[in-house]
Amino acid sequence: MAFNFGISAESAVKNTRRPLAPWNIYDVKFMGCEIKEFDGKKDPNAHYKVLNINFENEEGYFTLTKFFPKDGDDERKEYPGQNGGKVVMPSNFEVLMATVAQTGQVLNPTGFEKMQAMSSKFKSFEDVANALIKITDKAKGTETKIKLIGRNREGKVVADVPRIVGINKEGESFIADNYIGTKLFFSNYEETQREKYLKAKPTDMKSEDSLVAEDPIGIDKPAADDDFNLESLL
């Protein structure tokens, strides 16, 4: 056997990346939005469609995944308050649309204004998602920051964005936080939760997460036809 002692110009180090860890504010690059479809694992007959919003840096990557809305996702849930009374949570749909709006406004303010003006013609979330993809395509590679908290998923704490929508005493929704942008910070409560996470042993991470994530939301059928032109968003 003849040995070839030449060394290739290609890297000999494997490019390994992992999901970004919870409870941190990261400098990232926006890598684009995309629509994905897949079949359910527990129910093979179930089919899902999601909007993925992708970010990455040298440490790893984070994908914010939002399921297309289904019937019932416009309903708000109520929970008993710690000091009596009740706590009203925003609907999945309110959170979904606020996420779209915050993403578009931060990454392409001018394009988002055009998207707002066009929104009266949207017939489905498919239209909304495609418009967001259109206006953010030119923002790929943009450097920004994202805020990631921790949520309990099947006994494991994983990174997720904070809940960005709140409901006031008058029953009106409002933007309660930012997950993306250049000026992000943790509240005093979040700092306390962050310290618990950083100091906890791996076995302690199965405890109940006090920042409960919203329930997963489902799918929507795309519009049969479009009466708006996505090219006008360019």
Side-chain angles (χ1 to χ4, degrees), residues 19-207:
L20 294 175
W23 292 113
N24 208 343
I25 294 174
Y26 293 97
D27 292 306
V28 294
K29 284 186 178 181
F30 171 65
M31 303 306 292
C33 299
E34 59 186 345
I35 296 172
K36 292 282 190 179
E37 297 186 49
F38 57 89
D39 294 325
K41 293 182 179 179
K42 295 182 179 180
D43 181 4
N45 295 321
H47 186 76
Y48 301 99
K49 185 178 292 188
V50 300
L51 171 67
N52 283 343
I53 306 171
N54 303 300
F55 304 92
E56 68 176 38
N57 62 17
E58 294 183 357
E59 297 179 52
Y61 61 91
F62 175 74
T63 296
L64 175 54
T65 297
K66 287 295 183 182
F67 285 76
F68 276 42
K70 68 178 188 304
D71 289 342
D73 282 334
D74 57 344
E75 298 175 2
R76 294 174 176 175
K77 296 182 179 180
E78 297 182 0
Y79 300 93
Q82 292 182 348
N83 301 318
K86 61 182 180 181
V87 177
V88 180
M89 302 302 294
S91 69
N92 291 331
F93 184 69
E94 287 173 307
V95 174
L96 173 64
M97 293 301 291
T99 302
V100 168
Q102 192 170 110
T103 303
Q105 186 173 0
V106 170
L107 293 172
N108 184 351
T110 302
F112 180 66
E113 288 182 3
K114 295 179 180 180
M115 180 176 171
Q116 284 179 306
M118 181 186 290
S119 62
S120 61
K121 299 179 181 179
F122 295 162
K123 297 180 179 179
S124 71
F125 187 71
E126 182 95 11
D127 298 340
V128 177
N130 280 323
L132 180 66
I133 291 170
K134 195 74 174 181
I135 68 169
T136 57
D137 267 351
K138 62 181 62 178
K140 288 181 180 178
T142 296
E143 295 183 353
T144 186
K145 295 178 182 289
I146 56 173
K147 171 183 172 180
L148 300 182
I149 64 166
R151 296 200 194 277
N152 193 299
R153 293 284 190 271
E154 300 180 350
K156 181 180 179 182
V157 177
V158 298
D160 197 4
V161 299
R163 187 175 291 110
I164 66 173
V165 181
I167 305 297
N168 64 24
K169 294 181 180 180
E170 287 71 39
E172 301 166 333
S173 65
F174 65 95
I175 298 301
D177 202 354
N178 299 319
Y179 91 89
I180 182 174
T182 57
K183 297 180 180 180
L184 303 177
F185 63 91
F186 290 118
S187 67
N188 291 337
Y189 174 75
E190 290 171 332
E191 287 286 4
T192 301
Q193 296 301 112
R194 182 173 184 270
E195 286 299 313
K196 288 181 180 179
Y197 170 78
L198 296 176
K199 292 179 179 179
K201 298 177 182 178
T203 53
D204 294 334
M205 288 294 94
K206 293 183 179 181
S207 60

Side-chain angles (χ1 to χ4, degrees), residues 1-6:
M1 178 179 179
F3 293 99
N4 180 2
F5 295 103

